[in-house]
Amino acid sequence: MSEQRIIRPTPISGFPEWTPEIRSVEQRWLDHIRAGFERYGFGSVETPSVEPLDVLMAKGETSNEVYTLHRLQEDNAADDSEARLGLHFDLTVPFARYAAQHFNELVFPFKRYQIQRVWRGERPQEGRFREFTQCDIDVINPDAVPLHFDAELPQVVHEVLGGLDLPPWTLRLNNRKVLQGVYSGLGVTDPLPVLRAVDKLHKIGADGVRQILVDELGMDTDQARVCLDLAEINGHDTSVVDEVAKLGVSSDLLTEGLDELAFTLDGLRELPTNTVLADLSIARGLDYYTGTVYEATFDEDPGYGSIVAGGRYADLAGSFIRRSLPGVGISIGFTRIFAKLVAEGRVLGGPLSPARVLVVVPSAERRGEARATAARLRARGIATEMYHQADKVKKQVRYASRKGIGHVWFPPFADGHPHEVKDLATGTQKETDPDTWHPTEQ
Amino acid sequence: MSEQRIIRPTPISGFPEWTPEIRSVEQRWLDHIRAGFERYGFGSVETPSVEPLDVLMAKGETSNEVYTLHRLQEDNAADDSEARLGLHFDLTVPFARYAAQHFNELVFPFKRYQIQRVWRGERPQEGRFREFTQCDIDVINPDAVPLHFDAELPQVVHEVLGGLDLPPWTLRLNNRKVLQGVYSGLGVTDPLPVLRAVDKLHKIGADGVRQILVDELGMDTDQARVCLDLAEINGHDTSVVDEVAKLGVSSDLLTEGLDELAFTLDGLRELPTNTVLADLSIARGLDYYTGTVYEATFDEDPGYGSIVAGGRYADLAGSFIRRSLPGVGISIGFTRIFAKLVAEGRVLGGPLSPARVLVVVPSAERRGEARATAARLRARGIATEMYHQADKVKKQVRYASRKGIGHVWFPPFADGHPHEVKDLATGTQKETDPDTWHPTEQ
């Protein structure tokens, strides 16, 4: 061994990395989500990992810390075109830029999914990563997007997450027009500060919110009470509409919002009972939503933060194009979900090899036969590994078993002898034919 | 429309981005490559996009320009753990670090594939990108890896690229032991400078290489002639071994190298004639290979640069662990290949929607029926889009056609009437049943 210095590698905080058996599960989950998106006709978009800083900052205030790129050899700066590039912190800003840039090449309504890594220069903590994968779907269309999509999107998410053995979770649904309609019915002229105050309800409690509404925003105690009463309303069906009506406040915006909320709830009635909750406390305070809003948390650990979020926006790409592009979108916080379950030991590792069968080499003379067998199996789409080391058959079988390969194939050990295959799960070994054999279901 | 400033988005040089119909082809290609890797039993590994700079620089000299990360709000630097992070410039260094870090969790021989983006702070030019996707496979094993893998890896690459309609390309094969064996037979004590000089043959020509060998490295003209004669040797079969023998040089290392080269060539004999070339000029000068080396180029444009490269190394992770981990690996320069064909108009765009059928809504009253039909089709795994806009049927059909959705489904327009489906390719429309219908092959 050389005497060179050893750099002992250690995990980097906030940048998750999985061992092969966990990665094989992550991959299966991502495939499952992608297949679900495609089953509803969403097509893939990918964007570069970076955007110019003026694009990332186009919306002004962002609570997200951006990583900028610099070349290690800064002296080589003849070309400064990358001087102001940052890694994207979500998939919405890049999608907005993409939609504007490729506007004339898109067919509308444009339905895209985007599964990519994003980066945030945050202090890592439970559920917060510096590099993580998001799975987004959005529908955009010039001028108007049918409200039916507001129900279709949670349905897609419910279907894809439903296949993944997650602990129970609830999708909370609201409509900003209801909140803003109540506030304007109360005579509030600028509803956004109220929205953001109410959004802190779960963090600072009713007294804290009341204090902001009264002391900072100048509401009287009756107005503040209505805002807090509104936030207390939730339910699994359209009875919530009646409860809001009982607050005794009215405005055109409120009527419109309640109609939309009832319509969306009704569109989700086929989902299992109690998985969707109309919750009038959901505001998504800092996001640019103008109608429906979504937010999902684990029932057993709502404090862990939202695992799914989204909503309807009046204009996606106003910073980049003079064309109204309303839409509705929803995002699955994939890594936040997956990493929690891994950390809690609730992800059972998958097989270490995608191969379904290991072809052993009985002897050097029979290697050609073994190779031909493997080729025939692969030609039939069966993932097949060959054991190239000149080890005893027992060791080859042990390798298959350790890698999670379910079957071991024995090519004829002499001319005229049959192929045999062993099912490692049952231990049975029998004669077989590489042109007709199928692996048993895993 | 608001009066806010418009930021006109423009492409960022060196960061490729595809329109949806090109992206759908890219995705199909990547799926095809992944499936090919898995068919040979390679399992997926992914690593974070970043590594600590000392890991990236562990091998010392790198011609790759590294992008380092900085937080935009540098004042928020209480936690400086990310102060020395850089985006990875290939997938080999992260894999070496991974193998060392997770050594005790891996089952050997460890066969992994890794399909990820990598970043290089280079000046963009034809075939050179700042962000691009690589598809790597490697086999590693403590102390020794069977030579059979040196033939299996190009076979995998040939199989996966063979399905992608590429223009003809040739895999060039060599073995560094042959080169170093000849040089040492000539009395050269340090073969690496010679190797790097010969590696420049295609760039600076025979005279240029001769000048380096004689003027800079102190060879006499006879020695230099042998080195250049060696580089002229190439052929599709093991006759190249005889040609090398005719040079009249001998050393133990040369004998070993020729044996390995002949063995590997023989292992590739099942590939189509003329797709593999033993080429004694291939050196992969700056890489850390110790035996077999691979390099592939397009036949019609060899100057475009290598589209596949790899080789055998004596020790993967010596910088990170005191354990000998030899291996052999090969990397497909995916973006380099794909971007060239896109730029030349040789990639025919795929469908804009993954949906196979669009379910129309004949009228508001029949929406429930349409939804139920879409749900039945999806439950059978058929990607199905619903048209939610209240548009005329003709417009709905036109939407399907523009999105590349092959079929339009008409749910019963009144109770007791049948379902009908129209095949947009043939124009035929007929009665059907959502529980038995299959889309025609695309």
Side-chain angles (χ1 to χ4, degrees):
Chain A
M1 299 253 79
S2 75
E3 286 304 304
Q4 71 176 116
R5 191 172 68 93
I6 294 287
I7 300 160
R8 189 78 48 199
T10 50
I12 315 173
S13 174
F15 291 84
E17 174 173 275
W18 311 121
T19 54
E21 74 271 22
I22 299 297
R23 165 62 189 159
S24 86
V25 179
E26 182 188 44
Q27 201 176 28
R28 177 155 49 79
W29 283 31
L30 287 168
D31 285 346
H32 175 83
I33 291 172
R34 172 184 158 189
F37 290 169
E38 294 183 347
R39 210 155 48 237
Y40 279 79
F42 290 83
S44 171
V45 159
E46 286 203 350
T47 60
S49 303
V50 304
E51 299 286 341
L53 283 184
D54 60 352
V55 167
L56 291 177
M57 298 299 161
K59 288 277 188 188
E61 61 181 311
T62 169
S63 56
N64 299 302
E65 289 218 48
V66 172
Y67 280 122
T68 57
L69 298 195
H70 298 261
R71 277 186 290 178
L72 194 57
Q73 282 105 348
E74 284 291 352
D75 54 316
N76 191 341
D79 175 3
D80 65 352
S81 64
E82 78 239 274
R84 301 292 287 168
L85 296 180
L87 292 170
H88 54 218
F89 54 80
D90 71 6
L91 302 176
T92 302
V93 172
F95 178 53
R97 193 266 313 147
Y98 182 96
Q101 189 174 326
H102 303 284
F103 183 84
N104 292 320
E105 299 155 279
L106 305 183
V107 176
F108 293 101
F110 183 58
K111 297 169 66 175
R112 83 88 173 77
Y113 74 89
Q114 193 166 350
I115 300 179
Q116 281 188 255
R117 298 179 182 211
V118 306
W119 293 266
R120 293 183 189 175
E122 293 187 355
R123 181 184 297 275
Q125 48 180 297
E126 202 199 17
R128 301 262 172 196
F129 300 91
R130 287 170 167 173
E131 177 176 41
F132 53 101
T133 298
Q134 299 263 78
C135 308
D136 281 26
I137 47 177
D138 285 82
V139 187
I140 54 171
N141 195 54
D143 305 324
V145 170
L147 199 61
H148 301 284
F149 282 112
D150 296 46
E152 187 171 286
L153 265 50
Q155 192 181 330
V156 178
V157 169
H158 199 276
E159 191 170 311
V160 300
L161 292 186
L164 294 180
D165 263 340
L166 301 191
W169 56 279
T170 300
L171 183 86
R172 289 180 163 73
L173 181 74
N174 196 4
N175 191 302
R176 275 215 184 166
K177 290 178 185 172
V178 174
L179 303 183
Q180 299 187 202
V182 167
Y183 306 155
S184 92
L186 289 171
V188 172
T189 48
D190 182 5
L192 272 181
V194 184
L195 206 77
R196 288 182 193 159
V198 173
D199 198 34
K200 294 182 181 145
L201 184 60
H202 296 287
K203 275 188 195 147
I204 63 176
D207 288 342
V209 173
R210 185 180 298 112
Q211 200 175 337
I212 297 177
L213 296 178
V214 174
D215 295 355
E216 294 181 22
L217 304 179
M219 282 191 175
D220 64 34
T221 48
D222 275 354
Q223 289 174 316
R225 185 187 43 77
V226 174
C227 293
L228 285 164
D229 284 352
L230 175 65
E232 295 291 326
I233 296 172
N234 62 68
H236 294 289
D237 56 44
T238 48
S239 65
V240 293
V241 172
D242 305 326
E243 288 190 59
V244 175
K246 282 184 207 151
L247 294 175
V249 183
S250 72
S251 71
D252 290 348
L253 192 62
L254 175 58
T255 307
E256 192 181 325
L258 288 174
D259 283 352
E260 289 186 11
L261 182 61
F263 184 93
T264 307
L265 258 181
D266 185 57
L268 289 167
R269 68 183 180 279
E270 283 154 27
L271 293 187
T273 325
N274 296 353
T275 58
V276 178
L277 185 74
D279 181 338
L280 282 293
S281 74
I282 299 297
R284 303 293 311 159
L286 280 171
D287 298 323
Y288 288 81
Y289 300 121
T290 52
T292 301
V293 285
Y294 313 109
E295 190 174 294
T297 51
F298 285 122
D299 295 350
E300 64 184 21
D301 189 3
Y304 182 67
S306 63
I307 57 172
V308 172
R312 171 174 276 263
Y313 36 86
D315 191 14
L316 176 72
S319 305
F320 310 118
I321 192 173
R322 292 202 189 283
R323 192 79 169 80
S324 165
L325 269 180
V328 52
I330 197 163
S331 173
I332 299 172
F334 181 83
T335 302
R336 183 177 282 187
I337 295 172
F338 189 71
K340 179 181 165 74
L341 300 183
V342 170
E344 292 171 354
R346 294 157 87 166
V347 171
L348 204 65
L352 292 176
S353 169
R356 307 299 307 275
V357 56
L358 179 81
V359 175
V360 307
V361 180
S363 63
E365 302 73 46
R366 309 299 299 180
R367 173 171 293 278
E369 178 91 40
R371 276 184 61 147
T373 302
R376 283 156 80 183
L377 291 167
R378 288 188 193 115
R380 294 179 51 227
I382 298 168
T384 304
E385 194 164 333
M386 265 190 79
Y387 194 89
H388 288 305
Q389 214 117 358
D391 285 326
K392 292 217 171 73
V393 166
K394 193 174 163 188
K395 190 167 176 194
Q396 301 191 33
V397 174
R398 187 160 158 267
Y399 169 81
S401 166
R402 292 183 69 203
K403 279 240 167 143
I405 303 172
H407 304 83
V408 177
W409 192 286
F410 303 92
F413 60 88
D415 286 340
H417 282 262
H419 291 268
E420 294 192 13
V421 68
K422 179 171 187 165
D423 183 331
L424 294 190
T426 63
T428 54
Q429 181 168 336
K430 51 186 169 188
E431 287 188 22
T432 188
D433 178 344
D435 293 328
T436 56
W437 177 76
H438 284 286
T440 53
E441 284 305 310
Q442 270 172 327
Chain B
M1 296 256 81
S2 74
E3 286 303 304
Q4 72 176 115
R5 192 172 69 91
I6 295 285
I7 299 159
R8 189 78 48 201
T10 50
I12 315 172
S13 173
F15 291 84
E17 173 171 276
W18 312 122
T19 54
E21 73 270 23
I22 298 297
R23 167 61 190 159
S24 85
V25 179
E26 182 188 44
Q27 200 176 28
R28 178 155 48 81
W29 284 30
L30 287 169
D31 285 345
H32 174 83
I33 291 172
R34 173 184 156 188
F37 290 169
E38 294 183 347
R39 211 156 46 239
Y40 279 79
F42 290 83
S44 171
V45 159
E46 286 204 348
T47 60
S49 301
V50 304
E51 298 288 340
L53 284 183
D54 59 352
V55 167
L56 292 177
M57 298 301 164
K59 287 278 190 188
E61 63 182 310
T62 169
S63 57
N64 299 301
E65 289 217 47
V66 173
Y67 281 123
T68 57
L69 298 195
H70 299 261
R71 276 185 290 177
L72 194 57
Q73 283 105 345
E74 285 290 355
D75 54 314
N76 191 341
D79 175 3
D80 65 351
S81 64
E82 78 239 272
R84 301 293 287 168
L85 297 179
L87 292 169
H88 55 218
F89 54 80
D90 71 6
L91 301 176
T92 302
V93 173
F95 178 52
R97 193 266 312 148
Y98 182 96
Q101 190 174 326
H102 302 285
F103 183 84
N104 291 321
E105 298 155 278
L106 305 183
V107 175
F108 294 100
F110 183 57
K111 296 169 67 175
R112 84 87 172 79
Y113 74 88
Q114 193 166 351
I115 300 179
Q116 281 188 256
R117 299 179 181 210
V118 306
W119 293 265
R120 293 182 190 176
E122 293 187 357
R123 182 183 296 275
Q125 49 179 299
E126 202 200 13
R128 301 260 172 197
F129 300 91
R130 286 169 168 173
E131 177 176 41
F132 53 101
T133 299
Q134 299 262 76
C135 308
D136 282 26
I137 46 176
D138 286 79
V139 186
I140 54 171
N141 194 52
D143 306 323
V145 170
L147 199 61
H148 300 283
F149 282 111
D150 295 46
E152 185 171 286
L153 264 50
Q155 192 182 330
V156 177
V157 168
H158 199 276
E159 190 170 310
V160 299
L161 292 186
L164 295 179
D165 262 339
L166 300 193
W169 55 279
T170 300
L171 183 87
R172 289 180 163 74
L173 181 73
N174 197 3
N175 191 301
R176 276 217 181 163
K177 288 179 186 171
V178 174
L179 303 183
Q180 298 188 202
V182 167
Y183 307 154
S184 92
L186 290 171
V188 173
T189 48
D190 183 5
L192 272 180
V194 184
L195 204 77
R196 287 180 194 162
V198 174
D199 198 34
K200 295 183 180 145
L201 184 61
H202 297 287
K203 275 189 195 148
I204 64 175
D207 287 345
V209 173
R210 185 180 298 109
Q211 203 175 332
I212 298 177
L213 295 179
V214 173
D215 295 356
E216 293 181 23
L217 304 181
M219 281 192 176
D220 65 35
T221 48
D222 275 355
Q223 288 174 315
R225 184 186 44 75
V226 174
C227 292
L228 285 163
D229 286 350
L230 175 66
E232 295 291 326
I233 296 172
N234 62 68
H236 293 290
D237 56 43
T238 49
S239 66
V240 293
V241 172
D242 304 326
E243 289 190 59
V244 175
K246 281 185 206 148
L247 294 175
V249 183
S250 72
S251 71
D252 289 349
L253 192 61
L254 175 57
T255 306
E256 192 180 323
L258 288 174
D259 283 352
E260 289 187 9
L261 182 61
F263 184 93
T264 307
L265 259 180
D266 185 60
L268 290 167
R269 68 183 180 279
E270 283 153 29
L271 292 187
T273 324
N274 296 355
T275 57
V276 177
L277 185 74
D279 182 338
L280 282 293
S281 74
I282 300 298
R284 303 295 308 160
L286 279 172
D287 297 323
Y288 288 80
Y289 300 121
T290 50
T292 301
V293 284
Y294 314 109
E295 190 173 295
T297 52
F298 284 123
D299 294 351
E300 65 186 19
D301 190 4
Y304 182 68
S306 63
I307 57 173
V308 172
R312 170 175 277 262
Y313 36 85
D315 191 16
L316 176 73
S319 305
F320 309 118
I321 191 173
R322 292 202 189 283
R323 193 75 169 83
S324 165
L325 269 180
V328 53
I330 196 162
S331 174
I332 299 173
F334 181 84
T335 301
R336 182 177 281 187
I337 294 171
F338 189 70
K340 178 182 166 74
L341 301 181
V342 170
E344 293 171 354
R346 295 157 88 164
V347 171
L348 204 66
L352 291 176
S353 169
R356 307 299 307 276
V357 58
L358 179 81
V359 174
V360 307
V361 180
S363 64
E365 301 74 48
R366 310 298 299 180
R367 173 172 293 277
E369 178 91 40
R371 276 184 62 146
T373 302
R376 281 157 81 185
L377 291 167
R378 287 188 193 115
R380 293 180 49 229
I382 298 168
T384 304
E385 193 164 333
M386 266 190 79
Y387 193 89
H388 287 306
Q389 214 117 358
D391 285 325
K392 291 217 169 73
V393 166
K394 194 175 161 185
K395 189 166 175 196
Q396 301 192 33
V397 173
R398 185 157 159 271
Y399 168 80
S401 168
R402 293 183 68 205
K403 279 242 167 143
I405 303 173
H407 304 82
V408 177
W409 192 285
F410 302 93
F413 59 89
D415 286 340
H417 283 261
H419 291 267
E420 294 191 13
V421 68
K422 179 173 188 163
D423 182 330
L424 294 189
T426 62
T428 54
Q429 181 169 337
K430 50 186 171 188
E431 286 187 21
T432 188
D433 178 343
D435 293 329
T436 56
W437 176 77
H438 284 284
T440 53
E441 284 305 308
Q442 271 173 328

